[in-house]
Amino acid sequence: MKYPLLSNAFSSRDIAEGQKVLKSKQITMSHKTKIFEKKFANYIRSKYAIMVNSGSSANLLAFSLMTNPMRKNRLKPGDEVIIPVVCWSTSLWPIVQHGLKPIFVDISLSNLNLDLKKLENSITKKTKAILCVHVLGLSSNMIKLLKIAKKYNLIIIEDTCESFGSKYKNKFLGTFGDVGTFSFYYSHQITSGEGGMIICNNIRDYEILLSLRSHGWARDKFILKKYKKYYSKIDPKFLFVNSGYNLRPTEIQAALVLSQFKRKNIFKKNRNFNRNLIIKLVIEDKKYQKQIKFLNVEKNMDPSWFGLAILVDKKFINKKKKYLKFLEKKGIETRPIISGNFINQPAIKLYGLNKKKYNFNNAQMIENQGFFIGLHTQKMSNKLAEYVSKNLLKINEI
Ligand SMILES: Cc1ncc(COP(=O)(O)O)c(C=O)c1O
């Protein structure tokens, strides 16, 4: 038996939708992308959504926007941005790439997200923004986080790449801050293989993001008409009004994820069903002696799971490597919780981002004791759930 991170990611319908685009020969970004952006924005209850070629690109756009000369309230070189130390590489690097200073904050063990007390203690006069990284479908207490941001006048950016469809107090993650970013990479809640989205509510931000995504171009009518005075000198089809990248998705990506989007609610339900089934089988097994633990869901949290986080008991820390190897051998794919304690990565040393050698005890504990397994978008059979749970329990036998 095998239990990969995700199985049968694409239905035959999804593939047919992708093939239709190929056959139409309209492969570059066009109306399918627009339709998906509109549907995504409506669903998540955000005014604007802009599709890009990855979640990393969405994060890059978020910081390019926040430092852009067209933005009134913008971040300046040297401004401090708070980031949880359990983050993805491309949550962090856009901060550094835009001349800002990342300030790492430890996580809370109950939700794997920013510890809000430690966050508030880390705020200085130079702090201007908070980057939330919603881990595996979970978040901090977003109401408290908003209060802190308001008190200190901080911009909020939400890296929601792992948490599309999760809600805190009935509001979608990604919609609490100035911008929210999402990933449609292979094992995420919905996928186009590669793909991403950035959302915002402010039309000025939308305008900046559209240009940044496409070469700094003014291609949309509502932007173009602001530059009429240039028409006599410059062909309006090639008017460049901002700096830019090319982070556009293809129509094939848009068609694939638009087809997946129709099944988002059933995917969410099934992932939750599978999670509950595996946990139930583990904790009701007579061999269960708390050798592994799961997270409880906090009040007000309605998670759309990305994966199932597991912590091995302290006494098995030295066995964890062997245990993960054992699980891989049994066909059960595992991953670190994002990338563990990011401060340990060689790239942090390369860029001198922890010269004061701070310790982050909770993130370290997550790195030492934590990992996650996938949650499939189809309901799993009892037989497969039993296979997974029995093997998960074997840490004290190997
Ligand atoms: C928290 C987080 N942010 C950003 C990304 C980057 O997304 P992508 O792989 O689509 O570039 C990931 C990747 O999975 C992630 O987990």
Side-chain angles (χ1 to χ4, degrees), residues 324-376:
L324 296 190
K325 257 203 178 141
F326 163 81
L327 292 175
E328 294 285 331
K329 251 198 193 152
K330 293 285 176 188
I332 301 169
E333 236 182 306
T334 68
R335 289 284 183 278
I337 293 178
I338 309 204
S339 41
N341 182 1
F342 203 84
I343 218 73
N344 299 331
Q345 296 291 343
I348 292 287
K349 211 169 166 192
L350 182 69
Y351 278 80
L353 297 182
N354 190 25
K355 285 188 185 136
K356 291 192 177 153
K357 300 214 178 314
Y358 288 124
N359 287 320
F360 300 92
N361 294 336
N362 289 351
Q364 196 53 45
M365 183 183 157
I366 288 301
E367 176 161 321
N368 295 344
Q369 292 171 243
F371 69 100
F372 83 87
I373 59 170
L375 289 170
H376 296 178

Side-chain angles (χ1 to χ4, degrees), residues 76-166:
K76 315 242 169 32
D79 282 352
E80 293 180 356
V81 180
I82 287 186
I83 175 171
V85 73
V86 173
C87 62
W88 187 247
S89 69
T90 51
S91 319
L92 166 67
W93 295 114
I95 299 176
V96 179
Q97 286 153 350
H98 287 88
L100 308 167
K101 190 175 175 200
I103 301 294
F104 292 100
V105 168
D106 207 355
I107 54 153
S108 150
L109 288 176
S110 49
N111 55 39
L112 307 177
N113 277 260
L114 279 167
D115 180 314
L116 298 187
K117 265 205 185 116
K118 291 177 185 159
L119 183 162
E120 196 161 3
N121 289 338
S122 306
I123 293 174
T124 69
K125 273 193 189 140
K126 286 187 177 169
T127 310
K128 296 289 184 271
I130 303 171
L131 173 69
C132 304
V133 181
H134 304 306
V135 180
L136 294 174
L138 298 172
S139 76
S140 311
N141 178 332
M142 292 308 290
I143 307 302
K144 273 194 187 159
L145 192 138
L146 280 186
K147 265 191 198 149
I148 297 172
K150 204 167 169 200
K151 184 169 161 193
Y152 297 95
N153 197 20
L154 306 176
I155 289 171
I156 299 177
I157 297 144
E158 291 179 78
D159 179 340
T160 321
C161 287
E162 298 198 350
S163 301
F164 164 66
S166 289

